[in-house]
Amino acid sequence: MRTPHYDWIGHHALGRPQAPALTDITRNRSYTYSALDRRIACAAAMLAAGGISRGMRVAVLAQNCSDLYELMFACGRVGALFIPLNWRLTVAELSYIFANAEPALLLHDADNAEAAAQLVAGKDVALVLMGGGDDTPYERALAAAEPFRNPVALYHDDVQVLMYTSGTTGFPKGAMLTYAMAFWNAINLGVPIGIGAETRFLSVMPFFHTAGINLFGNPVFHAGGHVLMMRAFDPGATLAALGDPALGITHFFGGPAVYLFMAQHPDFAATDLSALRI
């Protein structure tokens, strides 16, 4: 018997609808679990209206923003695979990944509009601008959509994210990250480091890397905590957020370079990091 996957956001939207779920610090947007659940449902309706269905691929080329989590969970509701593309790559490098992944839809932010247009040139792939203000096609589509009410049944062996490797020793390969991987990562990582409903996690790692999604975003959503994200890592801005008592950040993850740059920043010594648990 296949193990079913359960919708974490929908679960918390029912049980704790007014609990804070997701904050985009850069764009000054914040959503409760109820509001996030509705936006995901509207994004799923947008995908379905565009012909996206089970097994199809949806790619995104954008720096960190709250839209990315919405899209990832919306893909799950229609059964599509979510593909976050590395915006640091050249168009030539992205072209191989794009051809290999065969997405039916590409969403992008304004900074990556030119690269996105080049990737879909001559292909039957729709483009949607996202990651901006309320007047982007993405926001207009969500505002006009009726929430998607019939999510497909998902199982642990279904693929949630298709994430491409760097291709250091050959062509990039699409790593198939399943719902089981996301679930067991949430349990095996979340329990030892004390992730719970009171967790306030600051996310600065890029979404095209597994750390941007799973360290610790997915575990925090699984537990019903609060994910706060920044568009990109900046040592000064990150220190300011970590030391801001109004944000009350309890958990943070960074690669070695992240900690090196923060430690070298002139604000490091004076930043109060006492609220951090991990």
Side-chain angles (χ1 to χ4, degrees):
M1 179 180 293
R2 301 175 72 190
T3 303
H5 166 76
Y6 297 100
D7 188 321
W8 305 338
I9 305 301
H11 170 79
H12 293 300
L14 285 174
R16 303 168 55 250
Q18 298 309 311
L22 178 60
T23 293
D24 187 324
I25 295 175
T26 305
R27 296 194 295 168
N28 193 29
R29 293 184 173 197
S30 191
Y31 305 110
T32 63
Y33 272 97
S34 176
L36 179 59
D37 180 65
R38 179 177 175 82
R39 285 181 63 85
I40 291 168
C42 289
M46 175 197 72
L47 295 177
I52 303 298
S53 59
R54 190 181 190 98
M56 298 178 72
R57 287 90 180 271
V58 174
V60 61
L61 184 64
Q63 293 200 48
N64 285 5
C65 63
S66 54
D67 298 353
L68 296 181
Y69 272 118
E70 295 169 3
L71 282 168
M72 183 179 73
F73 291 122
C75 282
R77 296 197 181 180
V78 300
L81 281 66
F82 178 71
I83 309 173
L85 298 175
N86 186 345
W87 43 265
R88 291 176 179 163
L89 298 179
T90 65
V91 172
E93 292 169 320
L94 284 169
S95 294
Y96 171 82
I97 296 174
F98 201 78
N100 184 261
E102 298 182 323
L105 172 65
L106 175 61
L107 298 103
H108 64 91
D109 60 11
D111 288 344
N112 291 283
E114 183 177 345
Q118 292 182 54
L119 287 174
V120 304
K123 301 178 180 68
D124 186 21
V125 179
L127 272 181
V128 175
L129 175 65
M130 46 157 279
D134 293 335
D135 197 37
T136 61
Y138 176 79
E139 290 293 338
R140 292 199 298 270
L142 263 62
E146 287 295 323
F148 191 73
R149 298 300 187 192
N150 297 296
V152 303
L154 293 171
Y155 298 89
H156 269 203
D157 56 356
D158 285 326
V159 177
Q160 179 184 32
V161 177
L162 196 60
M163 185 169 287
Y164 277 79
T165 63
S166 60
T168 310
T169 59
F171 288 116
K173 300 170 181 66
M176 297 182 289
L177 308 185
T178 65
Y179 286 93
M181 176 268 174
F183 172 76
W184 287 112
N185 178 72
I187 299 300
N188 294 331
L189 179 68
V191 172
I193 65 173
I195 287 177
E198 75 290 345
T199 296
R200 299 174 68 87
F201 164 64
L202 178 63
S203 175
V204 299
M205 299 295 284
F207 224 74
F208 58 75
H209 190 281
T210 186
I213 295 175
N214 293 305
L215 298 171
F216 305 121
N218 260 338
V220 173
F221 283 127
H222 176 261
H226 186 181
V227 174
L228 301 93
M229 64 192 311
M230 301 175 70
R231 184 170 183 271
F233 169 69
D234 174 87
T238 301
L239 282 169
L242 293 176
D244 186 347
L247 295 180
I249 304 298
T250 62
H251 289 65
F252 178 74
F253 178 87
V258 166
Y259 293 109
L260 176 64
F261 293 145
M262 287 197 296
Q264 293 175 337
H265 195 275
D267 292 342
F268 180 73
T271 301
D272 181 4
L273 302 174
S274 60
L276 277 175
R277 301 178 190 173
I278 294 291

